[in-house]
Amino acid sequence: MLHYALHAGSVPWQDQLLYAGIIIAVIAAVFFGLWWRKRAARPRQGDFAALVQQGNVAEAIAAQAQSPLADAADAWQETRHTMDNVKSGVERFLALMFALLSGLLCVISVTAVIGYVWDFPAVDWALLAFYAALGGVTAWFTRVQWRDFRGQK
């Protein structure tokens, strides 16, 4: 989080305001879309044909009397759930990308170590140790990112 706070000073305030406005507009669009869908799915007062089509007539009659504010509260809960799903989906996608990229770097490091070991008498030990350490760190990071992608702790 501190990383974003440090770099936020390098972005002009107009751009930050634009990004914040876009994010708020998307959240508002999702909210109003869910609210509108909930209100449109509810049978109107006196529409008995729509009541009969509902599975439970008593629940449909009770739903007719529900206020737009109650629908807004339900839509807000659905919006929060939707945004949490989007957030977790983005986090999983990023974890997968990091796992693939760090796995590729691990393969490159292991290949370099094998290449140096192949030329055994003339080995640059410092470079061999660097690639071995890099391979170990990237293997660990790949494992961590893969577990994050799969949702494990």
Side-chain angles (χ1 to χ4, degrees):
M1 189 71 170
L2 180 63
H3 168 77
Y4 295 114
L6 292 175
H7 288 288
S10 66
V11 178
W13 68 270
Q14 295 92 346
D15 290 346
Q16 291 180 6
L17 191 62
L18 174 70
Y19 299 145
I22 289 172
I23 290 170
I24 290 171
V26 166
I27 292 172
V30 168
F31 169 74
F32 283 117
L34 291 171
W35 179 73
W36 183 263
R37 186 180 71 179
K38 191 169 234 12
R39 290 300 297 169
R42 186 155 304 178
R44 306 249 186 265
Q45 288 283 13
D47 188 2
F48 297 109
L51 286 176
V52 173
Q53 291 175 352
Q54 301 291 323
N56 189 343
V57 176
E59 287 179 8
I61 290 174
Q64 280 182 338
Q66 209 170 17
S67 70
L69 189 57
D71 287 337
D74 291 341
W76 179 248
Q77 291 300 323
E78 289 181 29
T79 302
R80 290 183 63 204
H81 181 67
T82 302
M83 289 300 134
D84 288 343
N85 285 344
V86 168
K87 178 183 167 189
S88 67
V90 168
E91 288 173 349
R92 289 187 67 206
F93 174 75
L94 289 175
L96 178 63
M97 289 297 107
F98 285 140
L100 292 175
L101 291 175
S102 61
L104 179 65
L105 186 57
C106 181
V107 167
I108 291 170
S109 299
V110 168
T111 305
V113 167
I114 291 171
Y116 277 113
V117 170
W118 193 264
D119 301 330
F120 176 64
V123 174
D124 184 3
W125 292 102
L127 207 51
L128 177 73
F130 170 75
Y131 280 122
L134 183 63
V137 168
T138 56
W140 171 80
F141 189 73
T142 302
R143 178 183 162 269
V144 168
Q145 290 302 313
W146 183 252
R147 290 179 66 119
D148 284 349
F149 170 69
R150 295 196 52 217
Q152 297 174 345
K153 293 290 175 188

